[in-house]
Each structure stands twice: as structure tokens, then as C-alpha cells.
């Protein structure tokens, strides 16, 4: 698709039109677009940190025995990798960056319902992040418990768990606040004619996610406070010798952390549901079913946390119940996959970068989801629990799924906000490298897990060596693709070709306003007369 | 939507004090129940009193009594979620 017009960005764009100057025009801005970019660069910065740590893990595992670090450093490394990726990148990622950037525009609003609270949420996020980073260099050094902070180890280890946990606690508040803000915004600030049935599917997914954030995150907060109470006050809540129950910790942790995986994946599904119709030039298939499945995933997905505890000594009845419920969640997830594929069917598909990321999302997420059923069935889980199979599985879901959707969103939406675009060919090459590297990296891990290689071990038996080397080489291919993606995308956003208001031919509202968007988005409040995927109604050929 | 009206509802000092006194009385009652009820009964007694106290706080201090239907439903949803979370853990605790 060619850019439609080549005029320079209008003077009133959100880039120029602010009262403040310099850095304060960003860190004190209440404009949802500026906060969105703040969030974007923060979460993406932490993503790159996490990638670096991941590559180091892989280098250590390249060959048996000590390669570049000892066991204690390794424990710290995978813990910090997990904490950074989960709490600082992917949970706040979509809501904070693309949610803030496009959601208000997509519903025809000038901003979110509580702009200052929005800024506060970013500040809380940064404060939590700084505290987590501080925990790495103070006290007993970086935590070594794994991102799950399981008791009893997290109570006894001499590393700086208390401070790290406190940082995550603060980040949790930022997540709750964003959730409240988004629910209110979507209920109250929709433009005239923007009925619930005309909400873009990305907005619907943010709405479902926001509810999960509001309802589940407080439980994470309580759980983390209890760890601090255990460590600092020695309350004995999880200590059986004093009448406590260690499994209660796992319940509390997963009551939040399983729904948290839906905080990571639902908005990604929303992005995919917005990208696919545009690049298949067809209205989405089964709008209502996709909405329904988002809500169903959010609701049913909150009831399955026990599938992380099949080998923990939980009661057999509970294993039965949680295993059954886990299979139920597969249904709405599969509904989405069928709907995307049906949308593609007989579409006139154009394979540009955002679409390539969207298509690979479908494949990688399906692999992640189906391997999830192997873990959700109690009988098979006994064999693969805590092996590299699990590591492969969840990277397919959160990296191959959410991560690839995030890259797709970057290519799809960032040009809108910068007014310039990246070059297409390098973007496709970067995508191809990442896709190939990703599969080499994580498929090897799944096979290793099936052969019995445990996770969170810095060493392994000699028979696992060839596949580990393969996996590490895959991580380098992936990293090469990522570097190309970054250079191409960010150079393009600064110096690339200018884009018009609607470079892709989308029918949602963000494409109807100038590029880059003006400070208050709409000159006058829009009246919506067509659905989000009604290309004819939007007058797009 | 109906919840807009309620924003500036002001509760008098009289009502607030009455609720506060009721909360104190219920707290005293909790102590009494824990000493004078045999067996597991005091757990259920304490839970019932705690629920009543929570209800008072939500209705008056959190203004829910004067709010519109939407907001009440949203709160109800949160409470139901909590009950489900706790309820499901009992599949483990009761049958272990
Ligand atoms: C270049 C990219 C990445 C590489 C090479 C990588 C590699 C790894 C490896 C090898 C492990 C297992 C360590 C072990 O169990 O011994 C691991 C764990 C983990 N990774 Fe990644 N990863 C990458 C990206 C990501 C992303 C994008 C996410 C999430 C958004 C993520 C989240 C996690 C989590 C949550 C764990 C579990 C940590 C724990 O056991 O406590 N990773 N990663
Ligand atoms: Cu789970």
C-alpha cells in the first residue's frame, strides 16, 4: 500500500502543541498519546534488558558444565529475566503503550477518563521498576527464587527478596489504576454512535483485560505483602511447623498469576483481530463470537490456577476440577483462532510486516496453546512438570504470541504517531529471521523437556548437549532479527517516508484523523456511523 | 447513567457516628462470641459479624447505599469473584 498523501505533519500535532518543553513535556504530560509513548519506551527498554539476560542464560546452557557463570549467578539470572519480562514488560506492555496510544482515539474520545491518574500509573510503574533494579545491587544481591517467589525458599534465602517483592507490589498498583481508568473510559467516553457493537476488537480486549487487572491484581498484592511479613516478622503463615500451609502460598500466587497470563495475551489477541481484517480486506468473521470469547477467557481463565499445582500435593479432587476447567478455557481460545482463519479465507491478503507478525502469531499461539493442554491434563503434566517443556510452552504463548503481536502493533500503529514509516523489505527480513530463530530456540527446548531436562538448572547431562547448542544458536538468529527490526523501525520513524492519515486502509477511528494525531485527537466530537471493520461504510476502496 | 447523581451526596455526622458506634459494638460482640461460643461455632459467628461490619462500611462509608445500580453491580461482581476464588481453594483444603 502506498502512502496516500505527502504533506508535512500539521502544526497542531501532539508533538509540538504542548505548554511545557523538554523532558517535562513528557514526564508530566497528561496527554494519553505522550503517556503511551512513555510507557512504550519504558516497557520496550525493559524488554531489551530481559532479552540480554535471556541470551546470557542461553550462553550458559550452550555446553554442559560451567560455561560463563556459576550456579548462583544462573539462579539470579533466570529470576531477574522472568521478573523483568513478566512484571516490567508484558503485563504493563499492551495496556500502557498501545492501549494508551490508540484506545481513546478508537472510541472517539479526547483522552482517558482520568488523565492524571494515567500519568500517576506510569510514575508508579517507574518507581516499582527502580525498586526492583535497586534490589539487584543491594542487600544480599539479586533474588534467586525464580519469578514465582515460592515459599519456603523465598522466606529463607539470604538474597534481596523483600525489596524485589516490594517493587513488584508497587508495579501492581500501577496495573490496577490503569485497569480502573480503562473500564471507566470505555464505559463513559465513547463518542456518539460508538455503540458496544461497534467497538474495535482491540478495545473489547482491553476492556476484558482491565477487569482481570482490577479483580486479580489485589490478590498478588496481598500475597507479596505476606512474603514480606514472613521474612520480616516471621509470621509462620506458610510454615507447617507453626500451623501454616505452604500450599496456600501457591494458591494465592497463582490466583493472580494465571489470570495474569490473560492480561498478557488478551490485548495481543485484540491487536491481531484489528490487523487481520485490514490486511485481508474483509470484515472480521464472527465479531460477536470474538467479543464473547474475550469475556469468556477473562472469566473462565480466572478459575484454572490449580493447574500449576498438580505435582505439589494438592488434593486429588482439586486436581480433577482444575484440570477440567483448564480444558474449558481452550474452547474460547480456539473460537478466536477459527474466526481469524475464517476472516482470512478468500480475503485479498497483503503480506506486509504487521500481517506477517499477525499470521505467525496464529501459528505460534496455537502451538503454545495446544502444548498448554498437555500441561493442563494432570496425567501428562506429571511427566513434563518443571522441565524445559514448560519453558518452551510458555515462551510460545507469551513471546511467540504476545511478543510477536507487540512487534506487529509497533509496525502497524507507530507510523501513525510518528508520521513516518519504516522500510518494508528489511522489516520482512527481520520478521523472517525472528520467526525462524524463535522456532529453533524454543522447539529444541520443548524436545529437551520431553527427554527429561529440568528447568532452572545451570547444568545438564551430556546427552542433552546437541539440542542445547541448537537452541542457543536459535537465540542468536532471533537476536539478529530483533536488531534488524529495531534499526529499521526506529530509523524509519525518524527519517523514513512520510505517511498519510490512513496508510493501511483501516476503518477504525484512529485512521480518520490527521497523522500524527492532534493534541485532542478530534477537532470536534465524531459521530460514528459504521462498524470498525466496515470498509465500505468508511469509504475505503 | 444513574451513578452520576450520587456524586455529591453528603452523609450527616449523625449517621456517620451511628455507623461508627455500630462497628464498635460489633467488634465487642466478636470478642464476646469468641469467648462464649463452644466449638467451631465461634468461627461462623465471627465470620457473620465481620460480614455485617463490612456491609456497613460499604453501604455508608463507601457510599454504596446512595450509588446507582451500575456501581452496585460492579461491586457485587468483585465480591462474587472473591467468593469463587476462596470457594475453589476449598476443593483442595477440604479433601487433602
Ligand atoms: C531472546 C529472548 C529470550 C530467551 C533467549 C529466553 C530464554 C529463557 C530460558 C533459557 C529460560 C529458562 C531458564 C531455566 O529454566 O533454566 C527462560 C525462562 C523464562 N523466560 Fe525467557 N527468554 C527470552 C524471552 C522471554 C520473553 C519475551 C518472556 C516474556 C515476555 C520471557 C519470560 C520468561 C519467564 C517468565 C521465564 C521463567 C523464569 C523462571 O523460571 O523463574 N522470556 N527464558
Ligand atoms: Cu496457568
Amino acid at each position: 500500500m502506498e502512502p496516500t498523501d505527502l504533506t508535512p505533519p500539521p502544526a497542531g500535532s501532539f508533538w509540538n502543541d504542548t505548554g511545557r518543553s523538554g523532558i517535562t513535556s513528557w514526564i508530566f504530560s497528561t496527554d494519553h498519546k505522550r503517556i503511551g509513548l512513555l510507557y512504550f519506551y519504558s516497557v520496550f527498554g525493559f524488554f531489551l534488558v530481559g532479552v540480554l539476560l535471556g541470551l546470557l542464560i542461553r550462553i550458559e546452557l550452550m555446553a554442559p558444565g560451567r560455561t560463563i557463570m556459576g550456579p548462583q549467578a544462573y539462579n539470579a539470572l533466570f529470576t531477574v529475566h522472568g521478573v523483568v519480562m513478566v512484571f516490567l514488560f508484558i503485563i504493563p506492555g499492551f495496556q500502557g503503550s498501545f492501549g494508551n496510544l490508540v484506545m481513546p482515539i478508537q472510541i472517539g474520545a479526547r483522552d482517558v477518563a482520568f488523565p492524571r491518574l494515567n500519568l500517576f500509573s506510569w510514575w508508579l510503574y517507574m518507581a516499582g521498576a527502580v525498586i526492583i533494579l535497586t534490589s539487584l545491587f543491594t542487600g544480599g544481591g539479586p533474588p534467586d527464587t525464580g519469578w514465582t517467589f515460592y515459599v519456603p525458599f523465598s522466606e529463607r534465602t539470604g538474597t534481596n527478596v523483600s525489596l524485589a517483592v516490594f517493587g513488584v507490589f508497587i508495579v501492581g498498583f500501577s496495573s490496577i489504576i490503569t485497569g480502573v481508568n480503562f473500564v471507566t473510559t470505555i464505559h463513559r467516553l465513547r463518542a456518539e454512535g460508538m455503540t458496544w457493537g461497534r467497538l474495535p476488537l482491540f478495545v473489547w480486549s482491553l476492556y476484558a483485560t482491565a477487569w482481570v487487572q482490577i479483580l486479580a491484581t489485589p490478590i498478588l498484592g496481598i500475597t507479596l505483602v505476606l512474603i514480606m511479613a514472613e521474612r520480616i516478622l516471621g509470621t509462620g503463615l506458610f510454615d507447617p511447623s507453626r500451623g501454616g500451609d505452604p500450599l496456600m502460598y501457591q494458591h494465592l500466587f497463582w490466583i493472580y498469576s494465571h489470570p495474569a497470563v490473560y492480561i498478557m495475551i488478551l490485548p495481543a489477541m485484540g491487536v491481531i483481530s484489528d490487523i487481520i481484517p485490514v490486511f485481508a480486506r474483509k470484515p472480521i468473521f464472527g465479531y460477536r463470537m470474538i467479543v464473547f470469547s474475550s469475556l469468556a477467557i477473562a472469566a473462565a481463565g480466572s478459575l484454572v490456577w490449580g493447574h500449576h499445582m498438580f505435582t505439589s500435593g494438592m488434593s486429588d479432587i482439586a486436581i480433577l476440577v482444575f484440570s477440567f476447567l483448564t480444558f474449558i478455557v481452550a474452547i474460547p481460545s480456539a473460537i478466536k483462532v477459527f474466526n481469524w482463519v475464517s476472516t482470512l479465507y478468500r480475503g485479498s491478503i497483503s503480506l506486509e510486516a504487521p500481517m506477517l507478525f499477525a499470521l505467525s502469531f496464529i501459528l505460534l499461539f496455537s502451538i503454545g496453546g495446544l502444548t498448554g493442554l498437555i500441561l493442563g491434563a494432570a496425567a501428562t503434566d506429571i511427566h513434563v512438570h518443571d522441565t524445559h517443556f514448560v519453558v518452551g510452552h510458555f515462551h510460545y504463548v507469551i513471546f511467540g504470541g504476545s511478543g510477536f503481536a507487540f512487534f506487529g502493533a509497533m509496525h502497524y500503529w507507530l507510523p501513525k504517531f510518528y508520521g513516518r514509516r519504516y522500510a518494508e523489505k528489511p522489516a520482512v527480513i527481520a520478521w523472517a529471521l525472528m520467526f525462524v530463530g524463535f522456532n529453533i530456540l524454543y522447539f529444541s527446548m520443548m524436545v529437551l523437556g520431553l527427554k527429561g531436562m529440568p528447568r532452572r538448572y545451570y547444568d545438564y547431562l551430556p546427552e542433552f548437549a546437541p539440542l542445547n547448542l541448537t537452541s542457543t544458536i536459535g537465540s542468536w538468529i532471533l537476536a539478529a532479527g530483533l536488531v534488524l527490526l529495531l534499526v529499521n523501525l526506529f530509523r524509519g520513524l525518524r527519517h523514513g517516508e512520510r505517511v498519510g492519515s490512513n496508510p493501511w486502509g483501516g476503518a477504525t477511528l484512529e485512521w480518520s484523523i490527521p497523522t500524527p494525531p492532534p493534541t485532542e485527537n478530534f477537532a470536534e466530537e465524531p459521530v460514528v456511523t459504521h462498524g470498525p471493520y466496515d470498509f465500505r461504510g468508511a469509504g475505503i476502496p | 447513567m444513574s451513578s452520576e447523581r450520587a456524586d455529591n451526596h453528603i452523609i450527616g455526622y449523625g449517621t456517620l457516628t451511628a455507623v461508627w458506634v455500630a462497628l464498635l459494638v460489633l467488634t465487642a460482640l466478636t470478642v464476646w462470641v469468641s469467648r462464649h461460643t463452644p466449638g467451631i461455632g465461634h468461627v461462623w459467628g465471627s465470620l457473620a459479624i465481620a460480614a455485617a461490619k463490612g456491609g456497613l462500611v460499604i453501604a455508608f462509608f463507601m457510599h454504596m447505599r446512595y450509588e446507582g445500580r451500575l456501581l452496585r453491580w460492579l461491586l457485587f461482581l468483585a465480591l462474587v469473584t472473591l467468593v469463587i476464588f476462596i470457594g475453589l481453594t476449598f476443593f483442595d483444603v477440604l479433601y487433602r
Side-chain angles (χ1 to χ4, degrees):
Chain A
M1 270 167 254
E2 288 296 307
T4 43
D5 71 273
L6 296 171
T7 47
S13 105
F14 79 103
W15 288 97
N16 331 327
D17 198 26
T18 59
R20 294 195 181 83
S21 63
I23 181 105
T24 54
S25 74
W26 289 91
I27 61 173
F28 296 128
S29 170
T30 52
D31 177 357
H32 69 93
K33 299 178 286 301
R34 290 196 165 225
I35 296 174
L37 286 178
L38 276 181
Y39 252 119
F40 172 76
Y41 284 105
S42 324
V43 297
F44 203 70
F46 282 113
F47 167 71
L48 294 179
V49 172
V51 165
L52 219 60
L53 301 175
L55 291 173
L56 288 175
I57 299 177
R58 273 316 327 165
I59 291 177
E60 172 52 41
L61 292 179
M62 188 163 67
R66 185 191 168 106
T67 314
I68 53 167
M69 67 186 91
Q72 181 62 29
Y74 186 83
N75 292 351
L77 207 60
F78 70 68
T79 303
V80 179
H81 168 74
V83 168
V84 165
M85 284 299 198
V86 169
F87 294 112
L88 298 182
F89 168 52
I90 204 75
I91 288 184
F94 281 100
Q95 302 264 356
S97 50
F98 294 107
N100 266 318
L101 277 172
V102 296
M103 183 272 282
I105 311 182
Q106 283 195 325
I107 64 172
R110 292 195 172 167
D111 209 314
V112 292
F114 309 116
R116 288 190 203 188
L117 204 60
N118 205 14
L119 181 64
F120 184 54
S121 135
W122 179 78
W123 274 94
L124 277 181
Y125 164 80
M126 286 310 279
V130 167
I131 293 173
I132 293 174
L133 292 184
T134 311
S135 81
L136 307 185
F137 306 106
T138 53
D144 56 351
T145 57
W147 78 282
T148 48
F149 301 116
Y150 268 16
V151 298
F153 185 60
S154 63
E155 295 173 359
R156 301 210 182 125
T157 173
T159 55
N160 209 350
V161 169
S162 305
L163 198 61
V165 154
F166 182 62
V168 173
F169 178 79
I170 301 286
V171 172
F173 270 97
S174 117
S175 185
I176 298 173
I177 289 177
T178 304
V180 171
N181 210 343
F182 279 19
V183 166
T184 317
T185 305
I186 295 169
H187 271 276
R188 308 308 289 264
L189 297 189
R190 281 171 289 128
E192 197 183 331
M194 179 53 77
T195 55
W196 289 96
R198 284 183 183 160
L199 282 184
L201 288 164
F202 181 55
V203 177
W204 265 114
S205 73
L206 291 174
Y207 180 74
T209 309
W211 273 113
V212 179
Q213 288 173 289
I214 296 172
L215 293 173
T217 316
I219 298 183
L220 174 74
I222 292 166
T223 312
L224 298 175
V225 169
L226 292 182
I227 295 187
M228 288 189 272
E230 288 284 278
R231 285 180 66 89
I232 298 165
L233 307 173
T235 45
L237 281 163
F238 305 125
D239 178 357
S241 68
R242 286 187 282 165
D245 179 359
L247 275 195
M248 195 46 75
Y249 174 81
Q250 297 190 18
H251 276 298
L252 286 169
F253 182 81
W254 288 111
I255 286 176
Y256 167 75
S257 293
H258 187 81
V261 310
Y262 298 106
I263 300 178
M264 309 172 198
I265 197 74
L266 275 170
M269 293 168 155
V271 170
I272 301 308
S273 307
D274 265 16
I275 289 181
I276 285 183
V278 172
F279 291 86
R281 295 244 106 358
K282 260 182 73 191
I284 191 97
F285 180 88
Y287 175 91
R288 273 159 193 272
M289 279 317 269
I290 296 186
V291 171
F292 160 77
S293 60
S294 289
L295 299 172
I297 288 176
S302 300
L303 311 177
V304 300
W305 71 84
H307 61 212
H308 296 273
M309 302 167 58
F310 290 157
T311 64
S312 69
M314 187 172 66
S315 84
D316 288 349
I317 302 266
I319 292 177
L320 213 72
V321 170
F322 282 118
S323 189
F324 172 73
L325 290 172
T326 301
F327 274 71
I328 303 267
V329 185
I331 298 172
S333 310
I335 289 180
K336 283 195 196 277
V337 172
F338 289 131
N339 279 298
W340 293 323
V341 174
S342 310
T343 307
L344 292 171
Y345 181 63
R346 297 193 142 189
S348 93
I349 294 171
S350 67
L351 288 177
E352 290 166 281
M355 184 63 157
L356 290 172
F357 280 110
L359 292 179
S360 42
F361 171 98
I362 300 181
L363 177 71
L364 300 177
F365 172 74
S366 300
I367 295 178
L370 290 171
T371 49
L373 290 180
I374 296 175
L375 296 162
T380 40
D381 179 63
I382 308 285
H383 295 274
V384 287
H385 179 80
D386 255 347
T387 67
H388 262 64
F389 185 79
V390 178
V391 183
H393 149 75
F394 69 68
H395 282 90
Y396 264 90
V397 179
I398 41 178
F399 193 1
S402 309
F404 272 56
F406 199 83
F407 304 139
M410 282 161 64
H411 288 83
Y412 183 59
W413 275 315
L414 286 183
K416 175 78 198 172
F417 292 90
Y418 281 83
R420 291 173 187 272
R421 61 164 298 175
Y422 52 87
E424 181 64 23
K425 203 173 217 173
V428 173
I429 297 174
W431 164 80
L433 281 173
M434 292 181 72
F435 181 74
V436 171
F438 178 93
N439 283 293
I440 297 177
L441 167 59
Y442 295 114
F443 207 82
S444 318
M445 284 202 207
M446 286 207 279
V447 178
L448 280 169
L450 285 178
K451 292 179 170 221
M453 176 166 160
R455 73 188 274 208
R456 293 176 172 171
Y457 277 37
Y458 105 115
D459 195 5
Y460 49 83
L461 299 173
E463 70 238 45
F464 297 138
L467 274 171
N468 268 303
L469 182 60
T470 316
S471 172
T472 302
I473 292 172
S475 76
W476 296 336
I477 301 176
L478 175 67
L482 186 61
V483 169
L484 179 57
L485 178 148
L486 289 179
V487 172
N488 178 46
L489 184 73
F490 291 109
R491 243 184 49 182
L493 295 179
R494 288 178 150 267
H495 309 293
E497 201 183 333
R498 283 196 197 284
V499 293
S501 61
N502 194 358
W504 312 117
T508 40
L509 283 184
E510 76 270 32
W511 308 112
S512 70
I513 62 174
T515 291
T519 304
E520 299 216 305
N521 303 340
F522 299 93
E524 51 202 86
E525 201 186 315
V527 176
V528 182
T529 52
H530 60 84
Y533 310 105
D534 178 0
F535 298 101
R536 222 168 280 152
I540 293 156
Chain B
M1 260 164 254
S2 48
S3 48
E4 251 163 2
R5 277 184 285 105
D7 282 355
N8 39 18
H9 187 96
I10 292 166
I11 306 177
Y13 283 114
T15 321
L16 290 177
T17 316
V19 173
W20 179 56
V21 171
L23 288 174
L24 289 179
V25 171
L26 285 171
T27 307
L29 195 64
T30 313
V31 177
W32 187 87
V33 164
S34 72
R35 301 223 171 123
H36 299 271
T37 326
I40 190 96
H42 77 263
V43 172
W44 294 109
S46 307
L47 280 177
I49 297 172
K53 284 168 71 179
L56 283 176
V57 170
I58 289 170
F60 292 97
F61 292 171
M62 291 171 70
H63 281 218
M64 209 42 74
R65 198 162 173 250
Y66 313 102
E67 287 296 347
R69 221 164 15 133
L70 176 68
L71 226 55
R72 288 190 198 193
W73 271 106
L74 296 187
L75 179 75
F76 182 69
L77 179 72
L79 292 176
V80 168
T81 310
L82 188 63
V83 168
I84 294 176
F85 283 168
I86 295 175
L88 270 178
T89 57
F90 274 85
F91 278 114
D92 175 24
V93 179
L94 288 184
Y95 298 97
R96 208 183 275 167

